[in-house]
Coordinates of all heavy atoms in Angstrom, one line a residue:
M1 N -199.0 -101.1 39.7 CA -198.2 -100.0 40.0 C -197.6 -99.2 38.9 O -197.7 -98.0 38.7 CB -197.0 -100.4 40.9 CG -197.4 -101.1 42.2 SD -198.0 -99.9 43.5 CE -196.6 -99.4 44.2
V2 N -197.1 -100.0 37.9 CA -196.4 -99.4 36.7 C -197.5 -98.8 35.8 O -197.4 -97.6 35.5 CB -195.6 -100.4 35.9 CG1 -195.1 -99.9 34.6 CG2 -194.5 -100.9 36.8
S3 N -198.6 -99.5 35.5 CA -199.6 -99.0 34.6 C -200.3 -97.8 35.3 O -200.6 -96.8 34.6 CB -200.6 -100.1 34.2 OG -201.2 -100.5 35.4
G4 N -200.5 -98.0 36.6 CA -201.2 -96.9 37.3 C -200.4 -95.6 37.3 O -200.9 -94.5 37.0
T5 N -199.1 -95.7 37.5 CA -198.2 -94.5 37.5 C -198.2 -93.9 36.1 O -198.2 -92.7 36.0 CB -196.8 -95.0 38.0 OG1 -196.9 -95.7 39.2 CG2 -195.9 -93.8 38.1
A6 N -198.1 -94.8 35.1 CA -198.1 -94.2 33.7 C -199.5 -93.5 33.4 O -199.4 -92.4 32.9 CB -198.0 -95.4 32.7
M7 N -200.6 -94.0 33.9 CA -201.9 -93.4 33.7 C -201.9 -92.0 34.4 O -202.4 -91.0 33.9 CB -203.0 -94.2 34.1 CG -203.5 -95.4 33.2 SD -205.1 -96.0 33.7 CE -204.6 -97.1 35.1
F8 N -201.4 -92.1 35.6 CA -201.3 -90.8 36.4 C -200.6 -89.7 35.7 O -201.1 -88.6 35.6 CB -200.7 -91.1 37.8 CG -200.5 -89.9 38.6 CD1 -201.6 -89.2 39.2 CD2 -199.3 -89.3 38.8 CE1 -201.4 -88.0 39.9 CE2 -199.1 -88.1 39.5 CZ -200.2 -87.5 40.1
F9 N -199.4 -90.1 35.2 CA -198.6 -89.0 34.5 C -199.1 -88.7 33.1 O -198.8 -87.7 32.6 CB -197.1 -89.4 34.4 CG -196.4 -89.3 35.8 CD1 -196.1 -90.4 36.5 CD2 -196.2 -88.0 36.3 CE1 -195.5 -90.2 37.8 CE2 -195.6 -87.9 37.5 CZ -195.2 -89.1 38.3
S10 N -200.0 -89.4 32.6 CA -200.7 -89.0 31.4 C -201.7 -87.9 31.6 O -202.0 -87.2 30.6 CB -201.5 -90.3 30.8 OG -202.6 -90.5 31.6
A11 N -202.2 -87.7 32.8 CA -203.1 -86.6 33.0 C -203.0 -86.1 34.5 O -204.0 -86.3 35.2 CB -204.5 -87.0 32.7
V12 N -201.8 -85.7 34.9 CA -201.6 -85.3 36.3 C -202.7 -84.3 36.8 O -203.3 -84.5 37.9 CB -200.2 -84.7 36.5 CG1 -200.0 -84.2 37.9 CG2 -199.1 -85.7 36.1
E13 N -202.9 -83.3 36.0 CA -203.9 -82.2 36.5 C -205.3 -82.8 36.7 O -206.0 -82.3 37.5 CB -204.0 -81.1 35.4 CG -204.7 -81.4 34.1 CD -203.9 -82.4 33.3 OE1 -202.7 -82.7 33.6 OE2 -204.4 -83.0 32.3
L14 N -205.6 -84.0 36.0 CA -206.9 -84.6 36.2 C -207.0 -85.4 37.5 O -207.9 -85.3 38.3 CB -207.2 -85.5 35.0 CG -208.5 -86.2 34.8 CD1 -209.6 -85.1 34.5 CD2 -208.5 -87.3 33.8
Y15 N -205.9 -86.2 37.7 CA -205.9 -87.2 38.8 C -205.5 -86.5 40.1 O -206.0 -86.9 41.2 CB -205.0 -88.3 38.4 CG -205.6 -89.1 37.3 CD1 -204.9 -89.3 36.1 CD2 -206.8 -89.7 37.3 CE1 -205.3 -90.1 35.1 CE2 -207.4 -90.5 36.2 CZ -206.6 -90.7 35.1 OH -207.1 -91.3 34.1
Y16 N -204.6 -85.6 40.1 CA -204.0 -85.1 41.4 C -205.1 -84.6 42.3 O -205.1 -84.7 43.5 CB -203.0 -84.1 41.1 CG -202.3 -83.6 42.3 CD1 -201.3 -84.4 43.0 CD2 -202.7 -82.4 43.0 CE1 -200.7 -84.0 44.1 CE2 -202.1 -82.0 44.2 CZ -201.1 -82.8 44.7 OH -200.5 -82.4 45.9
F17 N -206.1 -83.9 41.7 CA -207.1 -83.3 42.5 C -208.3 -84.2 42.7 O -209.3 -83.7 43.3 CB -207.6 -81.9 41.9 CG -206.4 -80.9 41.7 CD1 -205.8 -80.7 40.5 CD2 -206.0 -80.3 42.8 CE1 -204.7 -79.9 40.4 CE2 -204.9 -79.4 42.8 CZ -204.3 -79.1 41.5
N18 N -208.3 -85.4 42.3 CA -209.4 -86.3 42.3 C -209.4 -87.0 43.7 O -208.4 -87.7 44.1 CB -209.3 -87.4 41.3 CG -210.4 -88.4 41.2 OD1 -210.8 -88.8 42.2 ND2 -211.0 -88.6 40.1
P19 N -210.4 -86.7 44.5 CA -210.4 -87.3 45.9 C -210.3 -88.8 45.9 O -209.7 -89.4 47.0 CB -211.8 -86.8 46.5 CG -212.6 -86.2 45.4 CD -211.6 -85.9 44.2
A20 N -210.8 -89.5 45.0 CA -210.8 -90.9 45.0 C -209.3 -91.4 44.7 O -208.8 -92.4 45.3 CB -211.7 -91.6 43.9
F21 N -208.6 -90.6 44.0 CA -207.2 -90.9 43.7 C -206.4 -90.7 45.0 O -205.5 -91.5 45.4 CB -206.6 -90.0 42.6 CG -205.2 -90.3 42.3 CD1 -204.7 -91.4 41.7 CD2 -204.2 -89.4 42.9 CE1 -203.3 -91.7 41.5 CE2 -202.9 -89.6 42.6 CZ -202.4 -90.8 42.0
K22 N -206.7 -89.5 45.7 CA -205.9 -89.3 47.0 C -206.2 -90.4 48.0 O -205.3 -90.9 48.6 CB -206.4 -87.9 47.5 CG -205.8 -86.8 46.7 CD -206.0 -85.4 47.4 CE -205.4 -84.3 46.6 NZ -206.1 -83.1 46.6
L23 N -207.5 -90.7 48.0 CA -207.8 -91.9 49.0 C -207.1 -93.2 48.6 O -206.5 -93.9 49.5 CB -209.4 -92.1 49.0 CG -209.8 -93.4 49.7 CD1 -209.6 -93.1 51.3 CD2 -211.3 -93.7 49.4
K24 N -207.0 -93.4 47.3 CA -206.4 -94.6 46.9 C -204.9 -94.6 47.2 O -204.4 -95.6 47.7 CB -206.5 -94.7 45.3 CG -205.7 -95.8 44.7 CD -205.8 -95.8 43.2 CE -205.1 -96.9 42.7 NZ -205.4 -97.1 41.3
I25 N -204.2 -93.5 47.1 CA -202.8 -93.5 47.4 C -202.5 -93.7 48.9 O -201.7 -94.4 49.4 CB -202.1 -92.3 46.8 CG1 -202.2 -92.2 45.3 CG2 -200.7 -92.1 47.3 CD1 -201.6 -93.4 44.6
A26 N -203.4 -93.0 49.7 CA -203.4 -93.1 51.1 C -203.6 -94.6 51.6 O -202.8 -95.2 52.4 CB -204.4 -92.3 51.8
V27 N -204.6 -95.4 51.0 CA -204.9 -96.7 51.3 C -203.7 -97.6 50.8 O -203.3 -98.5 51.5 CB -206.2 -97.2 50.7 CG1 -206.4 -98.7 50.9 CG2 -207.3 -96.4 51.2
L28 N -203.1 -97.3 49.6 CA -202.0 -98.0 49.1 C -200.8 -97.9 50.0 O -200.1 -98.9 50.3 CB -201.7 -97.5 47.7 CG -200.4 -98.2 46.9 CD1 -200.7 -99.6 46.7 CD2 -200.2 -97.5 45.6
L29 N -200.5 -96.7 50.5 CA -199.4 -96.5 51.5 C -199.6 -97.3 52.8 O -198.7 -98.0 53.3 CB -199.2 -95.0 51.7 CG -198.6 -94.2 50.6 CD1 -198.6 -92.7 51.0 CD2 -197.2 -94.7 50.3
A30 N -200.9 -97.3 53.3 CA -201.3 -98.0 54.5 C -201.0 -99.6 54.2 O -200.5 -100.2 55.1 CB -202.7 -97.7 54.9
A31 N -201.4 -100.0 53.1 CA -201.3 -101.4 52.7 C -199.8 -101.8 52.7 O -199.4 -102.9 53.2 CB -202.0 -101.8 51.4
A32 N -199.0 -101.0 52.1 CA -197.6 -101.2 52.0 C -196.9 -101.2 53.4 O -196.1 -102.1 53.7 CB -196.9 -100.1 51.1
V33 N -197.3 -100.3 54.2 CA -196.7 -100.3 55.6 C -197.1 -101.5 56.3 O -196.3 -102.1 57.0 CB -197.2 -99.0 56.4 CG1 -196.9 -99.1 57.8 CG2 -196.6 -97.7 55.8
L34 N -198.4 -101.9 56.2 CA -198.9 -103.2 56.9 C -198.1 -104.3 56.4 O -197.6 -105.2 57.2 CB -200.4 -103.4 56.6 CG -200.9 -104.7 57.2 CD1 -201.3 -104.5 58.6 CD2 -202.1 -105.2 56.3
Q35 N -197.8 -104.4 55.1 CA -197.1 -105.5 54.4 C -195.7 -105.6 55.0 O -195.2 -106.7 55.3 CB -197.1 -105.3 53.0 CG -196.9 -106.6 52.2 CD -198.1 -107.4 52.2 OE1 -199.2 -107.0 52.2 NE2 -197.9 -108.7 52.1
L36 N -195.1 -104.4 55.2 CA -193.6 -104.4 55.7 C -193.5 -104.5 57.2 O -192.4 -104.7 57.7 CB -193.0 -103.1 55.1 CG -192.9 -103.0 53.6 CD1 -192.4 -101.6 53.2 CD2 -192.1 -104.1 53.0
T37 N -194.6 -104.3 57.9 CA -194.4 -104.4 59.3 C -195.2 -105.6 59.9 O -194.6 -106.7 60.0 CB -195.0 -103.1 60.0 OG1 -196.4 -102.9 59.5 CG2 -194.2 -101.9 59.6
L38 N -196.5 -105.5 60.2 CA -197.3 -106.5 60.9 C -197.2 -107.8 60.1 O -197.0 -108.9 60.7 CB -198.7 -106.0 61.1 CG -199.6 -107.0 61.9 CD1 -199.0 -107.2 63.2 CD2 -201.0 -106.4 62.0
F39 N -197.5 -107.7 58.8 CA -197.6 -109.0 58.0 C -196.3 -109.7 58.0 O -196.2 -110.9 58.1 CB -197.9 -108.6 56.6 CG -198.6 -109.7 55.8 CD1 -200.0 -109.9 55.9 CD2 -197.8 -110.5 55.0 CE1 -200.5 -111.0 55.2 CE2 -198.4 -111.6 54.3 CZ -199.8 -111.8 54.4
R40 N -195.1 -108.9 57.9 CA -193.8 -109.5 57.9 C -193.5 -110.2 59.3 O -193.0 -111.3 59.4 CB -192.8 -108.4 57.6 CG -191.4 -109.1 57.4 CD -190.4 -107.9 56.9 NE -190.5 -107.8 55.5 CZ -189.7 -107.0 54.8 NH1 -188.8 -106.2 55.4 NH2 -189.9 -106.9 53.5
K41 N -194.0 -109.5 60.3 CA -193.8 -110.0 61.7 C -194.5 -111.3 61.9 O -193.9 -112.3 62.4 CB -194.3 -108.9 62.7 CG -194.2 -109.3 64.2 CD -194.8 -108.1 65.0 CE -195.1 -108.5 66.5 NZ -193.9 -108.9 67.2
V42 N -195.8 -111.4 61.4 CA -196.6 -112.5 61.6 C -196.1 -113.7 60.8 O -196.1 -114.9 61.2 CB -198.0 -112.2 61.2 CG1 -198.9 -113.5 61.0 CG2 -198.7 -111.3 62.3
T43 N -195.6 -113.4 59.6 CA -195.2 -114.6 58.7 C -193.7 -114.9 58.9 O -193.2 -115.9 58.4 CB -195.2 -114.1 57.2 OG1 -194.6 -112.9 57.0 CG2 -196.7 -114.0 56.8
A44 N -193.0 -114.2 59.9 CA -191.6 -114.6 60.1 C -191.4 -115.7 61.2 O -190.3 -116.2 61.4 CB -190.9 -113.3 60.7
T45 N -192.5 -116.1 61.8 CA -192.4 -117.1 62.9 C -193.4 -118.3 62.6 O -194.4 -118.1 62.0 CB -192.8 -116.5 64.2 OG1 -192.9 -117.6 65.2 CG2 -194.0 -115.7 64.2
D46 N -193.0 -119.5 63.0 CA -193.9 -120.6 62.8 C -195.1 -120.6 63.8 O -196.1 -121.3 63.6 CB -193.1 -121.9 63.0 CG -192.1 -122.0 61.8 OD1 -192.4 -121.4 60.8 OD2 -191.0 -122.7 62.0
T47 N -194.9 -119.9 64.9 CA -196.0 -119.9 65.9 C -196.4 -118.5 66.2 O -196.2 -117.9 67.3 CB -195.5 -120.5 67.3 OG1 -194.3 -119.8 67.6 CG2 -195.2 -122.0 67.1
P48 N -197.0 -117.8 65.1 CA -197.5 -116.4 65.4 C -198.6 -116.3 66.4 O -199.4 -117.3 66.5 CB -197.8 -115.9 64.0 CG -198.2 -117.2 63.2 CD -197.4 -118.3 63.8
N49 N -198.9 -115.1 66.9 CA -200.0 -114.9 67.8 C -201.3 -115.0 67.0 O -201.4 -114.1 66.1 CB -199.8 -113.5 68.5 CG -201.0 -113.1 69.3 OD1 -202.1 -113.3 68.9 ND2 -200.7 -112.4 70.4
P50 N -202.2 -115.9 67.3 CA -203.4 -116.0 66.5 C -204.2 -114.7 66.2 O -204.7 -114.5 65.2 CB -204.2 -117.1 67.3 CG -203.3 -117.8 68.1 CD -202.2 -116.8 68.5
A51 N -204.3 -113.9 67.3 CA -205.0 -112.7 67.2 C -204.4 -111.7 66.2 O -205.0 -111.2 65.3 CB -205.1 -112.0 68.6
L52 N -203.0 -111.7 66.2 CA -202.3 -110.8 65.3 C -202.4 -111.4 63.9 O -202.5 -110.6 62.9 CB -200.8 -110.9 65.7 CG -200.2 -109.7 66.6 CD1 -198.7 -109.9 66.7 CD2 -200.7 -108.4 66.1
V53 N -202.5 -112.7 63.7 CA -202.7 -113.3 62.4 C -204.0 -112.8 61.8 O -204.1 -112.4 60.7 CB -202.7 -114.8 62.5 CG1 -203.1 -115.5 61.2 CG2 -201.3 -115.3 62.9
K54 N -205.1 -112.9 62.7 CA -206.4 -112.6 62.2 C -206.4 -111.1 61.8 O -206.9 -110.7 60.7 CB -207.5 -112.9 63.2 CG -207.8 -114.4 63.4 CD -208.9 -114.6 64.3 CE -209.1 -116.1 64.4 NZ -208.5 -116.7 65.7
V55 N -205.9 -110.2 62.7 CA -205.8 -108.8 62.4 C -205.1 -108.5 61.2 O -205.6 -107.7 60.3 CB -205.2 -108.0 63.6 CG1 -205.0 -106.6 63.3 CG2 -206.1 -108.2 64.7
S56 N -203.9 -109.0 61.0 CA -203.1 -108.7 59.8 C -203.7 -109.3 58.5 O -203.8 -108.5 57.4 CB -201.7 -109.3 59.9 OG -201.8 -110.7 59.9
V57 N -204.4 -110.4 58.5 CA -205.1 -110.9 57.4 C -206.3 -110.0 57.0 O -206.4 -109.6 55.8 CB -205.5 -112.4 57.6 CG1 -206.4 -112.9 56.5 CG2 -204.3 -113.3 57.7
L58 N -207.1 -109.7 58.1 CA -208.3 -108.9 57.8 C -207.9 -107.5 57.2 O -208.4 -107.1 56.2 CB -209.0 -108.7 59.1 CG -210.5 -108.4 58.9 CD1 -211.3 -109.5 58.3 CD2 -211.1 -108.1 60.4
L59 N -206.9 -106.9 57.9 CA -206.5 -105.6 57.5 C -205.9 -105.7 56.1 O -206.2 -104.7 55.2 CB -205.4 -105.0 58.4 CG -205.8 -104.2 59.6 CD1 -204.6 -103.8 60.4 CD2 -206.6 -103.0 59.1
S60 N -205.2 -106.7 55.7 CA -204.5 -106.8 54.4 C -205.6 -106.9 53.3 O -205.5 -106.3 52.3 CB -203.6 -108.0 54.4 OG -202.9 -108.2 53.3
I61 N -206.7 -107.8 53.6 CA -207.7 -107.9 52.6 C -208.4 -106.7 52.3 O -208.6 -106.2 51.2 CB -208.7 -109.1 53.0 CG1 -207.9 -110.4 53.0 CG2 -209.9 -109.1 52.2 CD1 -208.7 -111.6 53.6
V62 N -208.8 -106.0 53.5 CA -209.5 -104.7 53.3 C -208.7 -103.7 52.6 O -209.3 -103.0 51.7 CB -210.0 -104.2 54.7 CG1 -210.5 -102.8 54.7 CG2 -211.1 -105.1 55.4
L63 N -207.5 -103.5 53.0 CA -206.6 -102.5 52.4 C -206.3 -102.7 50.8 O -206.6 -101.8 50.1 CB -205.3 -102.3 53.1 CG -205.5 -101.7 54.5 CD1 -204.1 -101.7 55.3 CD2 -206.0 -100.2 54.5
W64 N -206.0 -104.0 50.5 CA -205.6 -104.2 49.1 C -206.9 -104.1 48.2 O -206.8 -103.6 47.1 CB -204.9 -105.5 48.9 CG -203.5 -105.4 49.4 CD1 -202.9 -106.0 50.5 CD2 -202.4 -104.6 48.9 NE1 -201.6 -105.6 50.6 CE2 -201.3 -104.8 49.7 CE3 -202.4 -103.7 47.7 CZ2 -200.1 -104.1 49.4 CZ3 -201.1 -103.1 47.5 CH2 -200.0 -103.3 48.3
F65 N -208.0 -104.6 48.7 CA -209.3 -104.5 47.9 C -209.7 -103.0 47.8 O -210.2 -102.6 46.9 CB -210.4 -105.3 48.5 CG -210.4 -106.7 47.9 CD1 -209.9 -107.8 48.7 CD2 -211.0 -107.0 46.7 CE1 -210.0 -109.1 48.1 CE2 -211.1 -108.3 46.2 CZ -210.5 -109.3 46.9
G66 N -209.4 -102.3 49.0 CA -209.7 -100.8 49.1 C -208.9 -100.1 48.0 O -209.4 -99.2 47.3
V67 N -207.6 -100.5 47.7 CA -206.9 -99.8 46.6 C -207.6 -100.0 45.3 O -207.8 -99.1 44.5 CB -205.4 -100.5 46.6 CG1 -204.7 -99.9 45.3 CG2 -204.7 -100.2 47.8
G68 N -208.0 -101.2 45.0 CA -208.7 -101.6 43.7 C -210.1 -100.8 43.6 O -210.3 -100.2 42.6
L69 N -210.8 -100.8 44.7 CA -212.1 -100.1 44.7 C -211.9 -98.7 44.5 O -212.6 -98.0 43.8 CB -212.8 -100.4 46.0 CG -213.4 -101.9 46.1 CD1 -214.0 -102.0 47.5 CD2 -214.5 -102.1 45.1
A70 N -211.0 -98.0 45.2 CA -210.7 -96.6 45.0 C -210.2 -96.2 43.7 O -210.5 -95.3 43.1 CB -209.6 -96.2 46.1
G71 N -209.4 -97.2 43.1 CA -209.0 -97.1 41.7 C -210.1 -97.1 40.8 O -210.2 -96.2 39.8
R72 N -211.1 -97.9 41.0 CA -212.4 -98.0 40.1 C -213.2 -96.7 40.3 O -213.7 -96.2 39.4 CB -213.1 -99.2 40.6 CG -214.3 -99.6 39.7 CD -213.8 -100.1 38.4 NE -214.9 -100.2 37.4 CZ -214.9 -99.5 36.2 NH1 -213.9 -98.7 35.9 NH2 -216.0 -99.7 35.4
A73 N -213.2 -96.2 41.5 CA -213.9 -95.0 41.8 C -213.4 -93.7 41.2 O -214.2 -92.8 40.9 CB -214.0 -94.8 43.3
I74 N -212.1 -93.7 40.9 CA -211.6 -92.5 40.2 C -212.3 -92.1 39.0 O -212.5 -90.9 38.9 CB -210.0 -92.8 39.8 CG1 -209.2 -93.0 41.0 CG2 -209.5 -91.7 39.1 CD1 -207.8 -93.5 40.8
G75 N -212.7 -93.0 38.2 CA -213.4 -92.6 37.0 C -214.9 -92.0 37.2 O -215.4 -91.5 36.3
Y76 N -215.4 -92.2 38.5 CA -216.7 -91.8 38.8 C -216.8 -90.5 39.6 O -217.9 -90.0 39.9 CB -217.5 -92.9 39.5 CG -217.6 -94.2 38.7 CD1 -216.7 -95.2 38.7 CD2 -218.8 -94.3 37.8 CE1 -216.8 -96.3 37.9 CE2 -218.9 -95.4 37.0 CZ -217.9 -96.4 37.1 OH -218.1 -97.5 36.3
V77 N -215.6 -90.0 40.1 CA -215.7 -88.9 41.0 C -215.3 -87.6 40.2 O -214.4 -87.7 39.4 CB -214.7 -89.2 42.2 CG1 -214.5 -88.0 43.0 CG2 -215.2 -90.3 43.0
Ligands
LIG1 C1 -201.3 -102.4 44.0 C2 -201.5 -101.3 43.4 C3 -202.6 -100.8 42.5 C4 -203.8 -101.5 42.3 C5 -204.4 -102.8 42.8 C6 -204.6 -100.5 41.4 C7 -205.9 -100.9 40.9 C8 -206.6 -100.1 40.1 C9 -207.9 -100.3 39.5 C10 -208.7 -101.6 39.9 C11 -208.3 -99.4 38.7 C12 -209.6 -99.2 38.0 C13 -209.4 -99.6 36.5 C14 -210.8 -99.4 35.8 O1 -211.5 -98.5 36.1 O2 -211.0 -100.1 34.8 C15 -207.2 -98.4 38.7 C16 -207.2 -97.2 37.9 C17 -206.2 -96.3 38.1 N1 -205.1 -96.3 38.9 FE1 -204.5 -97.9 40.0 N2 -203.9 -99.4 41.1 C18 -202.7 -99.5 41.8 C19 -201.7 -98.6 41.9 C20 -201.8 -97.3 41.2 C21 -200.7 -96.3 41.4 C22 -199.4 -96.5 42.2 C23 -201.1 -95.2 40.7 C24 -200.6 -93.9 40.5 C25 -199.5 -93.4 41.1 C26 -202.4 -95.6 40.1 C27 -203.2 -94.8 39.4 C28 -204.4 -95.1 38.7 C29 -205.1 -94.2 37.7 C30 -204.7 -92.9 37.3 C31 -206.2 -95.0 37.3 C32 -207.3 -94.6 36.3 C33 -208.5 -94.0 36.8 C34 -209.5 -93.6 35.7 O3 -209.2 -92.8 34.9 O4 -210.5 -94.3 35.7 N3 -202.8 -96.9 40.5 N4 -206.2 -98.8 39.5

């Protein structure tokens, strides 16, 4: 987060219009919302709903890896 923000402000005009950067921030926000809502709900109880556990784990893996992949794509778009 810190190094990414520093890189962003080092060349705002370059990154702001980059579609991969925009996708990355959208996925990052979705991952953060998931972390603060569903993930927190599932991990707050000793007997969570198994279906909710699977959904939150799958979404979490896809979104956080998505942030990294979109970050990698920034340099290619
Ligand atoms: C959990 C949060 C984050 C993760 C996992 C992440 C991950 C990555 C990865 C894997 C890369 C590619 C590095 C490479 O090509 O060698 C990258 C690049 C970058 N990230 Fe992030 N990032 C995160 C948050 C942020 C944030 C919050 C910002 C800005 C507000 C940001 C801005 C950038 C920029 C500008 C690049 C450079 C792209 C380039 O010139 O190739 N990142 N990030």
Side-chain angles (χ1 to χ4, degrees):
M1 298 286 277
V2 174
S3 59
T5 307
M7 280 195 284
F8 175 73
F9 283 107
S10 72
V12 176
E13 71 290 348
L14 186 72
Y15 293 121
Y16 184 79
F17 299 104
N18 185 309
F21 178 77
K22 287 192 174 141
L23 173 68
K24 175 183 179 165
I25 297 303
V27 176
L28 181 59
L29 289 175
V33 167
L34 176 86
Q35 205 70 31
L36 298 172
T37 55
L38 185 58
F39 203 84
R40 186 171 279 184
K41 178 181 165 59
V42 164
T43 52
T45 166
D46 292 335
T47 53
N49 175 320
L52 268 187
V53 171
K54 287 190 182 92
V55 169
S56 66
V57 168
L58 200 65
L59 271 179
S60 187
I61 291 170
V62 168
L63 290 174
W64 285 113
F65 271 98
V67 172
L69 286 173
R72 191 70 192 119
I74 293 172
Y76 295 92
V77 172

